[in-house]
Each structure stands twice: as C-alpha cells, then as structure tokens.
Amino acid sequence: MRFKKIAKEDAGDTQWYFQIEDDGSSKVQCSGDYPPFKEWVDEGNTAEAAD
Amino acid sequence: MSEIKVNSIKGAAASTAAITVHNTDGTATGKFTNLPGRNIVINGSMNVAQRGTSSTTSGCNSVDRWQNQHGNTDEAPTQAQIALTSSDTGPWEKGFRYALQTTNGNQTGGAGAGDYIESHYRVEAQDMANSGWNYNSASSKITLSFWVKSSVAQTFYGYLYTADSTAQQYPFSLGSLSANTWTKVTKTIPGHANITINNDTGEGLRIAIVPFYGTTYTASGVTLDAWGAYGSGAECCPDNTSTWYTTNDATFAITGVQLEVGDTATDFEHKSYAEELFRCQRYYYKLKNDSGSTSSHWYGGGFVDTTTQLRGGIVLPQHMRSAPTSFETTGTAGDYAVWHSGNSTTTCSAVPSWASTSSSSGRLTFTVASGLTAGQGGSYRALTTNSYLAWSAEL
C-alpha cells in the first residue's frame, strides 16, 4: 500500500491522498488524519507527488 | 384512601432492593432492566453492515463500528456479519438475528509471537465522559455483557482500554467456552483513579475481545479484573492458548454487546434498524445504488464548472464525528456518470473526488473527458449497480 497526493482543485483545499493498493487499485481517498495514512507516515513513508 | 409507607421494595430472594423509596423527598430510585438509552455501544446487535457483510481486510470492514484487526497471519481471517438461526440457542431467543464472526485462516506457520486477531469497539470519548459513570471512583461501576461462541473449546480473554493521558487497561477472561455453544459473558467493572477520559470526539474506551494474541501482546503475570497501566509491551492479557488459532477455519462469534452504567447487566436494549443505522452514520455513511437498475440512482446535483467537471455541495445526513478522513468509491470511473443538458449521460473518466469537507458537508466533483457546457446544471449519477460513495469518520 502507498499514498499519492491528489491535485487540489482549489488553493484553499486541504491536501487529500489516493490510497493505492499493491495491485494498483484505489478505492479510498483520504485526508492526512486518516489513521492508516498516519501509521504509514509514522513508519517513515512519504506520499508521492500528484499527477 | 389508603397509603403504603415503605423504604424499599425487594424481591423475595433478592439481596438488594429493586426500588428504594427515599424517606423525605417523595422520590424513589429503581433498578429497571428495560429503560431506554442504557447501551453505550452502537450496533451491539450487529444489525448494520454498510460496508458489506464479509471482508478479509483488517479494520472496520463488515459490521459497522466493529474493527476486526489482524496481523502477521499466514492467511487472513474473514470478518463477517452472519445471520443467526433458531439453532443459535441463547441469543436467538433473546431476539438477536446477526453476529460478528471471525473465521480463522490457515495459519500454517503456527502461533507466532507477533500474530494477532481481535475484534474491538471504540467508544467515542464524550459518550463515556457524559455517560454518568464516575470513572475515577472504584465504587462507580459499568457493566459489559455479550454473547460469544467459538468452534473450539478454549479460554479466551478480552480487555478494556482507555487511551487518554496514561493509557489504562482492564483485562478479563471470557471463561472456558464449550465448543459451538453460545455463552453469555458479563463483567462488572469499577472505576479507577488513574483513568482519564476526555470530553471530546476521540477514542474514550476500547472494548477488545481476543480470539488470539501471540506472546508479544501477552504476559503470564497479567492480573485479571483489575485496572493497570497499559504496558509498553502492550501485554493486554494472559498468554493465550493457541488451539483456536492453529485450527484452520475455526470460528469465533459475538453479538448482543452492551456496555451500561451500573453494576447490573440489564436486558439488551434492542433498537430499530433505522435508529441503529442513524447512530452508525455518525462514523460511516454510504450512498449506494440499491435500486436494482444500473442508472436509477442519483447522488445529487451540481453545476458544470468546466467542460469536464460537475461540481457541487453534498450535505451529509448528520454531523459526523469529525470531518470525514476518508472518501470511498468503487475505484472504477465507469461506475459513475454525469447527467446534463439534453438528457445526456456522460460516463466519468475519473473516479469522483471529495474536498473542502467539514463534519457535515463537502464538495463533490465528477470528471468526464469532455462534452459538458460550463454554467449549466447537472446531476451526479450511478451507472452500474456496483456504484457507491462513502464517507468515513470512524475512530
């Protein structure tokens, strides 16, 4: 599992991320407060840049 | 007119009064087993499963509000909402029709120290803080009760956990369960001076029920039925027997979970599906195409902002616990479409996105490759029977 930034539609939007599974599928978008994202970051990972 | 003057009313064989009549102020206190609003646990009867009825993914992925966590397993266990039948002696007669069941995977590597499978429920902190439980007093009690069944005869454990300030735990035994036999477990738990529960929307109290913990999370000397500091090694319960865990497809089911203030386990507080669903929607809300038709489901309306985007506000059905921290789609753009001028339906080229969210609303965007006219109106539309949108503010 990894996370990738979602391009902001408006400058004032908070940053959201795609959660991308190992098979490349992505059903979840999340904020930085999403518990699995926080755990992933705590493990030393960094989200990929947006397209 | 006649008048009866008494101090209390007590059952013939009861040790305590059912009704205590106060001496001077004209009031009485009763211990009634069917008053509404007793159960702090939401969806304790396992009736609501918005996400689906079965999953092998760790987390809250079947029965609402219940997290089935597992780690280091050789084969992932399955969490499922299962339907009970009249053969489920015990809970069936008490009116329960569903349970949360964990079906073990095939743990070919045996019971590793870091292996674990647990079901737990997280009570929102303000619901505990405002429950009436004086959690810092040993004379103030809460009572946890639930039905449990295992396909393997074994002693299992559980524990309560409080996260605020210095984390505390209260380990307990579920007793020695007979195989394939529903057993009612009741635990009355005192308060303790070291417990802190903030009056906020965070996690206040966790109820954990453990099919298996490896020795990383257990210790032989853990004291049952007593509060203590949550160990740095997270030894939450005594060492577990591993028979259940090393039995392929062993099952472990719970239902009828009730947590209430007081020293007595009262009858389970059954609620309507609608009421329970609404309580669950504070933490997870799912809009799904259950029309039976591929396109007879509408998520709402918006305005065409560009030739490729329909945007608009969506109001959630209630204030969620927090602004949603995740937004879920099927992951397939073709499950969604924009309905716009000329009775035209254009399939999305990207999955819907969610932004600018609060606890009760946010902005939804549907994106297509081309063909929209800026400034016009449009509607968010499902295009398959799989289509859904969901928001989570789960603890």
Side-chain angles (χ1 to χ4, degrees):
Chain A
M1 182 178 72
R2 58 196 168 92
F3 290 86
K4 183 177 184 177
K5 290 182 178 178
I6 299 173
K8 295 181 182 179
E9 296 174 2
D10 293 323
D13 290 345
T14 56
Q15 183 64 58
W16 275 57
Y17 306 86
F18 286 117
Q19 177 181 311
I20 302 171
E21 306 301 331
D22 294 339
D23 63 3
S25 65
S26 178
K27 296 182 177 181
V28 175
Q29 299 164 40
C30 69
S31 73
D33 292 327
Y34 182 53
F37 176 79
K38 292 168 73 173
E39 291 172 14
W40 184 78
V41 170
D42 288 344
E43 292 168 0
N45 299 298
T46 304
E48 298 170 25
D51 289 331
Chain B
M1 187 180 81
S2 60
E3 185 175 40
I4 299 173
K5 293 187 176 181
V6 295
N7 292 323
S8 66
I9 299 174
K10 183 189 295 184
S15 59
T16 59
I19 299 174
T20 300
V21 181
H22 302 154
N23 196 34
T24 58
D25 64 5
T27 65
T29 301
K31 290 183 176 179
F32 300 99
T33 61
N34 56 359
L35 292 174
R38 287 164 290 128
N39 195 358
I40 296 167
V41 172
I42 298 168
N43 202 26
S45 56
M46 316 297 177
N47 286 350
V48 180
Q50 293 185 83
R51 295 167 179 81
T53 56
S54 180
S55 173
T56 56
T57 302
S58 184
C60 192
N61 290 304
S62 60
V63 174
D64 276 56
R65 302 274 23 246
W66 285 90
Q67 304 216 20
N68 263 43
Q69 303 275 8
H70 64 263
N72 299 310
T73 54
D74 299 307
E75 182 183 26
T78 301
Q79 56 174 297
Q81 181 199 48
I82 61 163
L84 302 182
T85 71
S86 58
S87 297
D88 289 293
T89 304
W92 177 264
E93 291 81 2
K94 294 295 183 182
F96 297 104
R97 294 297 179 265
Y98 292 100
L100 169 61
Q101 179 170 284
T102 301
T103 301
N104 192 21
N106 190 9
Q107 311 308 340
T108 54
D115 299 3
Y116 66 92
I117 299 176
E118 70 170 36
S119 300
H120 73 241
Y121 179 96
R122 300 179 183 189
V123 182
E124 188 173 333
Q126 61 184 338
D127 288 346
M128 285 309 305
N130 293 281
S131 67
W133 180 37
N134 183 6
Y135 50 81
N136 287 135
S137 168
S139 62
S140 182
K141 309 286 177 57
I142 52 174
T143 298
L144 173 69
S145 57
F146 57 92
W147 289 93
V148 60
K149 183 177 78 169
S150 165
S151 64
V152 173
Q154 186 183 308
T155 296
F156 295 90
Y157 299 97
Y159 63 95
L160 303 186
Y161 163 84
T162 59
D164 290 326
S165 189
T166 302
Q168 303 290 310
Q169 63 178 21
Y170 186 94
F172 57 83
S173 172
L174 277 58
S176 179
L177 302 185
S178 300
N180 298 309
T181 304
W182 282 102
T183 301
K184 179 81 175 286
V185 174
T186 299
K187 293 289 168 185
T188 296
I189 298 133
H192 190 281
N194 292 343
I195 296 172
T196 298
I197 300 176
N198 295 334
N199 187 20
D200 63 18
T201 58
E203 179 183 0
L205 181 82
R206 183 180 305 180
I207 303 165
I209 300 170
V210 181
F212 181 72
Y213 269 1
T215 54
T216 298
Y217 317 106
T218 66
S220 58
V222 169
T223 303
L224 295 175
D225 302 323
W227 285 102
Y230 184 75
S232 59
E235 295 91 356
C236 307
C237 51
D239 292 338
N240 284 193
T241 303
S242 61
T243 313
W244 183 92
Y245 186 68
T246 54
T247 301
N248 185 27
D249 292 337
T251 59
F252 186 93
I254 55 174
T255 192
V257 183
Q258 180 153 289
L259 180 68
E260 57 196 308
V261 176
D263 59 7
T264 305
T266 64
D267 295 343
F268 185 83
E269 183 183 0
H270 290 279
K271 290 185 169 64
S272 71
Y273 180 84
E275 185 177 358
E276 208 71 278
L277 173 64
F278 189 70
R279 298 174 82 203
C280 290
Q281 287 174 334
R282 176 169 171 78
Y283 305 90
Y284 187 82
Y285 175 54
K286 187 172 190 177
L287 287 170
K288 61 181 180 180
N289 181 9
D290 55 4
S291 68
S293 166
T294 55
S295 56
S296 293
H297 182 77
W298 307 87
Y299 295 109
F303 74 100
V304 176
D305 191 31
T306 69
T307 56
T308 61
Q309 285 193 324
L310 178 72
R311 307 171 79 187
I314 293 286
V315 176
L316 301 167
Q318 63 171 303
H319 285 271
M320 300 186 78
R321 182 190 63 84
S322 66
T325 58
S326 69
F327 171 65
E328 300 172 13
T329 70
T330 63
T332 301
D335 289 333
Y336 307 90
V338 172
W339 187 58
H340 54 104
S341 178
N343 195 24
S344 298
T345 296
T346 302
T347 304
C348 286
S349 59
V351 293
S353 64
W354 179 253
S356 192
T357 185
S358 71
S359 65
S360 59
S361 68
R363 190 183 70 237
L364 184 64
T365 300
F366 273 33
T367 301
V368 300
S370 64
L372 305 183
T373 303
Q376 294 186 342
S379 292
Y380 307 108
R381 186 174 201 176
L383 204 54
T384 69
T385 53
N386 295 326
S387 187
Y388 69 84
L389 302 175
W391 295 260
S392 177
E394 187 55 77
L395 281 162

